[in-house]
Amino acid sequence: MDSRTTAGGPRIRIGMVGGGPGADIGATHRFAQRLDDRYELVAGVFGQDPEASKTFGAGLHVDPSRIYPDAETMADAEAEREDGIEVVTIATPNSSHLPLARIFLERGFSVVCEKPLTTSVADALELHRLATSAGVVFAVPHAYSAYAMVREAARLVRDGALGKLTLVQVEHASGWASEALERTGHKQALWRTTPEIAGFPSVVGDLGTHAFHLTRYITGLELEEVSADLSTVVPERGVIDNAFVHLHLTGGVRGALWASMVATGQEHGLRIRVFGEKGSLEWRHEDPQHLVVRSADATSTTLAQGQARLSEDAARLTRVGLGHSEGFLEAFTDFYSDVADALLARRDGAPFTPRELSFPTIDDGVLGVAFVDAAARSSSASGAWTKP
Amino acid sequence: MDSRTTAGGPRIRIGMVGGGPGADIGATHRFAQRLDDRYELVAGVFGQDPEASKTFGAGLHVDPSRIYPDAETMADAEAEREDGIEVVTIATPNSSHLPLARIFLERGFSVVCEKPLTTSVADALELHRLATSAGVVFAVPHAYSAYAMVREAARLVRDGALGKLTLVQVEHASGWASEALERTGHKQALWRTTPEIAGFPSVVGDLGTHAFHLTRYITGLELEEVSADLSTVVPERGVIDNAFVHLHLTGGVRGALWASMVATGQEHGLRIRVFGEKGSLEWRHEDPQHLVVRSADATSTTLAQGQARLSEDAARLTRVGLGHSEGFLEAFTDFYSDVADALLARRDGAPFTPRELSFPTIDDGVLGVAFVDAAARSSSASGAWTKP
Amino acid sequence: MDSRTTAGGPRIRIGMVGGGPGADIGATHRFAQRLDDRYELVAGVFGQDPEASKTFGAGLHVDPSRIYPDAETMADAEAEREDGIEVVTIATPNSSHLPLARIFLERGFSVVCEKPLTTSVADALELHRLATSAGVVFAVPHAYSAYAMVREAARLVRDGALGKLTLVQVEHASGWASEALERTGHKQALWRTTPEIAGFPSVVGDLGTHAFHLTRYITGLELEEVSADLSTVVPERGVIDNAFVHLHLTGGVRGALWASMVATGQEHGLRIRVFGEKGSLEWRHEDPQHLVVRSADATSTTLAQGQARLSEDAARLTRVGLGHSEGFLEAFTDFYSDVADALLARRDGAPFTPRELSFPTIDDGVLGVAFVDAAARSSSASGAWTKP
Amino acid sequence: MDSRTTAGGPRIRIGMVGGGPGADIGATHRFAQRLDDRYELVAGVFGQDPEASKTFGAGLHVDPSRIYPDAETMADAEAEREDGIEVVTIATPNSSHLPLARIFLERGFSVVCEKPLTTSVADALELHRLATSAGVVFAVPHAYSAYAMVREAARLVRDGALGKLTLVQVEHASGWASEALERTGHKQALWRTTPEIAGFPSVVGDLGTHAFHLTRYITGLELEEVSADLSTVVPERGVIDNAFVHLHLTGGVRGALWASMVATGQEHGLRIRVFGEKGSLEWRHEDPQHLVVRSADATSTTLAQGQARLSEDAARLTRVGLGHSEGFLEAFTDFYSDVADALLARRDGAPFTPRELSFPTIDDGVLGVAFVDAAARSSSASGAWTKP
């Protein structure tokens, strides 16, 4: 069998809200649903323009009768069908996550919801309440944590390879918006620099939460307090586009986190180094299939996806072989595949204990929003240490 | 739309011979057929054990009635159906390519056939004759030529960025079989070290043809003669596992090619450097989303997949954005997508002019076999310069 | 001529205090004095043990009569000689810099004094007063600023290659003391973890001042305020061994600085990235002969020492050619060579205008100490923004 | 003590022939003589123009009375002096090595002679005869073998870390003469493209012998036969500027060697990979302070100069510490320092057993010339396997 499968049973029926024409993230979700062949996209609202949505959905081989004018109609109709969707992906701008997710949660659908979860802690807690009472699967695609070598990193930390942890340095510093793209008609730049949609600390929510989640995922530590310096680098931009943040994590571990959309010339810029008493590790998104482990004497060892020596946590996410890179779409597929395990268990009514290293949930989403909120408050308070 | 699509029309119906349980390359083909959603796998012979094939195919959601005991039965049955396959993938060991392809070609099916095409030049020419007279699409998955940055490299060369070409150094030197895996029950190692199945110059056919095709693809040059030193490094191995080859290419360009399955410690080991009067370029499979271009003063410039400045040849093969790596499966998908363009034109009866930079065909397959043959003859003749 | 020379005139006569047996930094100074052949070591106090100093100095070909029991004796005796030293290098632990420098400054000798200059701002200002009133050359070996490619970086910034500067990320994070070396008899670890000798914020003074100076040197910006998180990672260590610091620089530029002696597994760990509106640059001490410049579209260009295209500021510091790495000792020699220019002008009584990009002076030393002091105060004040 | 010293005794008195104005290699020799402070340059003929030589030598602090008009005068005069030179460096174009070395050898001086030793095998053997009968130290500066991490590589191979050796791939492919510099007045390019001075297979002698020596030095293997493809890439150039060579080494080891001065865009381009049954290693001149060791499972381990775990062979050549790069001049100094050990033993009349890993001698020089000769003959014979 190619990979993690549905064991010959039918594919998981999934719907999508958002991700219409021009929305890269929607396409990413669909690639990831398809690659392992465990999902079938059967319904959707592909953007706010019903006609464009119809045309777009048809190109995706979605039955025209299941391309809906809005989320509420979709949720109602799908709830009626025997072959209705089992889960919906919400891939819309930040401020709409709560109202859209509410519609599906109240009707008992599982949800994959883009991050940052919401634009306020209050909204995040409300969404948490809704998800919990619905009792469904609620996944948040911090998909970087699904790279095989990130899983290997998390495994090494948990197995004590670094000894007691001491320090973390993490960055998600991209140069994508180092120019004022929002004034050139760039769709994503526009909404990400509109505080009402993206939230005022925009880059902290967009990229900072990825760096923050990656830190938590690999180290297993939680945030105690932050001291932040948020700023707006591009003149006249209405939101935060650069954030330097100091972290106090559980266990006395200190960290430095950098989130930026104005790190001119950098590609995606996600990178993490974790240090312990016995060694350290480094992972970079520009070379995701390798993991560097350094010992106290500065010997640097590079592990590669596909090696026989890797843990089951990494091996189970490897499709091809050593030296055949798997990239972002494969990581996103890994995320969806872990979600599929939970969804299938739910479909079968089987008890389900997630793996120790699995997909991020509503809990992670809420902690991400709390991090954004604390960073913003600290920065406003001249860098005072602030609890999330 | 996500990508290169079938324009809302039905997906291309594809079948597969080979690629059953444990065959990595079969899984790769299926991932690549799925990712862009342009193909639907509807029939197959998934290995030589009919029962195992049935079970395996069912896991792939293939209709049980279209999982066949052998290729001939499959070809006959599919030829009868209105909704029969349009194209078949042959993903079996080398020596079976000719007989299997013959079955499908004689019934008018298009073919995607693994490489090396055959184990002899005579067989390759016979297959060429069959394909030509069938008038179908015949594609050979030297999928490395489908990476966006390989396409960019080929474009730069054609656009004169390096000036007149002078030298090539190319390697496909992997360490995968540096130990005698064939004596440990490793399935692929076993057939690749059996001369009757893999051909005696095994690694030249397996990896050398990839290096050779990549050279031709990027430079646009053809082979004039070779001087080769083929050897068997692992004791008692019955085939060639290392090949150092000097190349004389058209235009007076000299080259060195290294194919190895015993380059201990190397991952996949595919890498090419092309030199010209004005500059050079380097591409490595371990970092496929970058391309390094060097000027005469040794300034080294790294281009990245997803940059706005890249050519249409690279841009059209990019699904995600800058800094989000696309790997081997995406390149294989690119290959299938270019093939799909040709298949759809054929389906529609439309005239079809392939792009200048598109998928490898039967012609490339034949030249690959001729290269293997010439290298083997040269090595036997003490390195004498030998024409293909 | 090999390099920057004394134009056939006699070499500069130099003495040394400190740098005796086992002191790496003393050896570094001597290599650097020798390489370009512009200095002659003629006198010294090589450690506190007079006998060991005698033996050690003899091995250095220093006339035994000019190996002194203490600095005061040395200064007095050398002041008497017609061929006495022109300059002295002070390569002793931090707390002794002020008293030793005072001895030589008061007798009119030029001084090369190790960093951090002193263990308090008051001492630094006192030393500044002494140096200024002596009217001599006073150089501080932040020798990293003397690498050819650091000079090229500073030149590119000054020439506007990056546009208006926006952000800085700089690290000097080594793993050298990630274990409690001070409890194993390691001499340098012992004094660097003794607050009375190294100063309490030890690593900020030792490595942080290098990172800080490099930032100022390349950007040309000055510090306005810091927000710092200083900590002690190794249990029972009496000094700071890790520092995360946020910087507000002139011109509204934000920065993050990391100084550490406990970044387990990292080699020397000095690295800087400077961002501007049009591009960015990166330099790493582990690969000092290259400089990476990135444009807004993420094209990454690597410049190499020895290229014809580099500025005079880099070219004049290049001894060998392209592809022949010059390392730490060459950079230290560059520092001494720039100092020699000033010393020779002084010898000749000629007016001397230092180059725009030359060696660090007492001014830089004082600013370094002020940075250490501000960081310590900020950290004590819970990260409050603190002016130096 | 800083380093390998003369133990307080007087420095070794050295002279130089060649290395005058504009000759980079002469400057390199002088830097290397000075850095460890074991030599004193006291006499010379700095080029063929006596006046220029005088001026140049004075700038080097050489006593004007010991700057001679020609080598014969120098050798005679120095032989007369009690404080005459002990050794002479010959840093002139290739064709003059034999006559110049003869002058000094016949008077009993030790010699450091640039490579390639001569322009013919006959001349090399004649020089070998002269050196042997003189009974002096005769060193050939293949200084790349003196890098600490090359020594570590040689040590690892000898200690069996790679198991039985199987393959070598080595390159010295620079782009320095990818343009016709010889037509622009470039002094070195001019003589290196004049067959009477450089020898016809110019690049094989200049760079190929370095690659060849490095191979022998690290592997401990000798050449059995070659199959070569030599060519001239730059139009109208009178010598070979690119060489692809296949090697059969002792022990059945196969190799590929590439020497080029027309690898456009490459810096120095010296790099070697050695493969064995258990692992492989890689060293690159552009990053000389690291050594990469790969295991059979493709785990890649990077060792760094200055680590405590390295062998004595590497440790004894390390001046600064981990993370402080030492470059080409330090390697060249290492070469001179090993030569100094032999010279001092000779001065003292002490028995001298060179270390297993020490400096290259006349033997290595002769083998280098024999390699050049065999490669040229093979290429002329259409790549026929040819014994040296």
Side-chain angles (χ1 to χ4, degrees), chain D residues 123-350:
Chain D
D123 283 0
L125 293 173
E126 167 72 359
L127 193 47
H128 190 275
R129 199 189 54 72
L130 289 166
T132 306
S133 75
V136 297
V137 175
F138 194 107
V140 179
H142 289 298
Y144 303 109
S145 63
Y147 277 103
M149 300 313 283
V150 169
R151 298 282 172 99
E152 184 72 14
R155 174 50 54 212
L156 287 172
V157 168
R158 277 158 189 71
D159 288 356
L162 308 189
K164 183 184 174 307
L165 296 189
T166 54
L167 300 169
V168 177
Q169 198 272 345
V170 62
E171 307 177 0
H172 198 161
S174 162
W176 79 273
S178 60
E179 293 172 338
L181 295 180
E182 60 270 31
R183 294 203 287 273
T184 67
H186 187 291
K187 187 175 168 177
Q188 191 187 161
L190 187 58
W191 78 254
R192 287 208 190 276
T193 56
T194 302
E196 296 73 23
I197 304 177
F200 169 68
S202 178
V203 78
V204 191
D206 182 23
L207 304 184
T209 55
H210 279 313
F212 178 64
H213 181 259
L214 195 63
T215 301
R216 292 178 53 242
Y217 198 89
I218 292 179
T219 66
L221 303 175
E222 295 296 346
L223 180 66
E224 295 192 335
E225 53 183 5
V226 299
S227 169
D229 184 28
L230 276 47
S231 58
T232 301
V233 165
V234 170
E236 301 178 43
R237 182 168 276 172
V239 297
I240 294 301
D241 57 13
N242 190 78
F244 290 124
V245 188
H246 291 155
L247 309 174
H248 284 175
L249 301 171
T250 46
V253 172
R254 307 287 174 119
L257 180 151
W258 177 25
S260 187
M261 58 208 266
V262 292
T264 314
Q266 297 208 157
E267 297 186 26
H268 201 48
L270 178 62
R271 154 184 168 180
I272 187 166
R273 284 174 286 173
V274 175
F275 300 84
E277 289 185 344
K278 291 163 52 181
S280 60
L281 58 80
E282 176 170 6
W283 180 83
R284 294 186 312 113
H285 189 252
E286 270 78 12
D287 182 23
Q289 80 244 33
H290 292 106
L291 175 66
V292 178
V293 182
R294 298 189 173 94
S295 62
D297 81 340
T299 299
S300 173
T301 301
T302 301
L303 305 179
Q305 190 171 3
Q307 287 185 303
R309 62 179 280 178
L310 300 189
S311 68
E312 170 63 10
D313 292 288
R316 73 182 186 87
L317 302 179
T318 298
R319 291 166 187 78
V320 207
L322 185 69
H324 294 78
S325 67
E326 299 192 36
F328 180 67
L329 295 179
E330 285 82 357
F332 223 104
T333 304
D334 295 337
F335 163 79
Y336 263 103
S337 196
D338 279 350
V339 174
D341 289 345
L343 291 169
L344 288 181
R346 185 173 155 76
R347 179 199 279 177
D348 300 340

Side-chain angles (χ1 to χ4, degrees), chain B residues 166-169 171 173 175 178-179 227-233 235 242 244-248 254-258 260 262-267 271 273 275-280 282 294-300 379 382-385, chain D residues 166-169 171 173 175 178-179 227-233 235 242 244-248 254-258 260 262-267 271 273 275-280 282 294-300 379 382-385:
Chain B
T166 55
L167 300 169
V168 176
Q169 199 272 343
E171 307 178 359
S178 61
E179 294 171 337
S227 169
D229 185 28
L230 276 46
S231 58
T232 301
V233 166
N242 190 78
F244 288 126
V245 188
H246 291 156
L247 310 173
H248 284 176
R254 308 285 176 122
L257 180 151
W258 177 25
S260 188
V262 292
T264 315
Q266 298 207 157
E267 296 186 25
R271 155 185 167 180
R273 284 174 285 173
F275 299 85
E277 288 186 344
K278 291 162 54 180
S280 60
E282 176 169 6
R294 298 188 174 94
S295 62
D297 80 340
T299 299
S300 173
S379 189
S382 295
W385 285 101
Chain D
T166 54
L167 300 169
V168 177
Q169 198 272 345
E171 307 177 0
S178 60
E179 293 172 338
S227 169
D229 184 28
L230 276 47
S231 58
T232 301
V233 165
N242 190 78
F244 290 124
V245 188
H246 291 155
L247 309 174
H248 284 175
R254 307 287 174 119
L257 180 151
W258 177 25
S260 187
V262 292
T264 314
Q266 297 208 157
E267 297 186 26
R271 154 184 168 180
R273 284 174 286 173
F275 300 84
E277 289 185 344
K278 291 163 52 181
S280 60
E282 176 170 6
R294 298 189 173 94
S295 62
D297 81 340
T299 299
S300 173
S379 188
S382 294
W385 286 100

Side-chain angles (χ1 to χ4, degrees), chain C residues 19-42:
Chain C
D24 291 346
I25 191 63
T28 294
H29 279 268
R30 290 187 295 269
F31 282 121
Q33 292 161 10
R34 240 171 4 236
L35 186 65
D36 274 356
D37 205 20
R38 304 185 66 180
Y39 292 86
E40 186 173 9
L41 179 65
V42 295

Side-chain angles (χ1 to χ4, degrees), chain A residues 119-144:
Chain A
T119 53
S120 77
V121 172
D123 283 0
L125 292 173
E126 167 71 1
L127 193 46
H128 191 274
R129 199 189 54 72
L130 289 167
T132 307
S133 75
V136 297
V137 175
F138 193 109
V140 179
H142 288 298
Y144 304 109

Side-chain angles (χ1 to χ4, degrees), chain D residues 50-62:
Chain D
E51 280 315 299
S53 173
K54 280 273 178 201
T55 308
F56 189 81
L60 298 171
H61 304 286
V62 175

Side-chain angles (χ1 to χ4, degrees), chain C residues 41-300:
Chain C
L41 179 65
V42 295
V45 181
F46 302 104
Q48 299 182 12
D49 174 341
E51 280 315 298
S53 172
K54 282 271 181 205
T55 307
F56 189 82
L60 298 171
H61 303 287
V62 175
D63 179 344
S65 73
R66 297 173 78 177
I67 303 173
Y68 301 96
D70 58 64
E72 196 138 17
T73 308
M74 172 176 165
D76 285 338
E78 291 293 319
E80 292 293 310
R81 301 178 68 111
E82 280 216 358
D83 65 348
I85 60 170
E86 298 166 89
V87 57
V88 67
T89 292
I90 297 174
T92 59
N94 308 345
S95 60
S96 61
H97 293 169
L98 173 57
L100 289 169
R102 182 195 307 272
I103 290 168
F104 288 93
L105 289 172
E106 289 181 345
R107 286 159 184 82
F109 291 106
S110 289
V111 172
V112 173
C113 181
E114 265 298 337
K115 37 55 56 187
L117 204 58
T118 61
T119 54
S120 76
V121 172
D123 284 0
L125 292 173
E126 167 71 359
L127 194 46
H128 191 274
R129 199 190 51 73
L130 290 166
T132 306
S133 75
V136 297
V137 175
F138 194 108
V140 179
H142 288 297
Y144 304 108
S145 62
Y147 276 103
M149 298 314 282
V150 169
R151 297 284 171 99
E152 184 72 12
R155 172 52 52 213
L156 286 172
V157 169
R158 277 158 189 72
D159 289 354
L162 307 189
K164 183 184 175 307
L165 298 188
T166 54
L167 299 170
V168 176
Q169 198 273 346
V170 62
E171 307 179 0
H172 198 162
S174 162
W176 79 273
S178 61
E179 293 172 337
L181 296 180
E182 61 269 31
R183 295 203 286 273
T184 68
H186 188 290
K187 187 177 168 178
Q188 189 187 161
L190 187 57
W191 78 254
R192 287 209 190 275
T193 56
T194 302
E196 295 74 25
I197 304 176
F200 169 67
S202 178
V203 78
V204 192
D206 182 23
L207 304 184
T209 56
H210 279 313
F212 178 65
H213 181 260
L214 195 62
T215 300
R216 292 179 53 241
Y217 197 88
I218 292 179
T219 65
L221 302 176
E222 295 297 343
L223 181 66
E224 294 190 337
E225 54 183 4
V226 299
S227 169
D229 184 28
L230 276 48
S231 59
T232 301
V233 165
V234 169
E236 300 179 43
R237 183 168 276 172
V239 297
I240 294 301
D241 57 14
N242 189 78
F244 288 125
V245 188
H246 291 155
L247 309 173
H248 284 174
L249 302 171
T250 45
V253 171
R254 308 286 175 120
L257 181 152
W258 177 25
S260 187
M261 57 208 267
V262 293
T264 314
Q266 298 206 156
E267 297 186 28
H268 202 47
L270 178 62
R271 156 185 167 179
I272 187 166
R273 285 174 284 174
V274 175
F275 299 84
E277 288 184 344
K278 291 162 52 181
S280 61
L281 58 81
E282 176 168 7
W283 180 84
R284 295 185 312 113
H285 190 252
E286 270 78 12
D287 182 23
Q289 80 245 33
H290 291 106
L291 174 67
V292 178
V293 181
R294 297 188 174 95
S295 62
D297 80 341
T299 299
S300 173

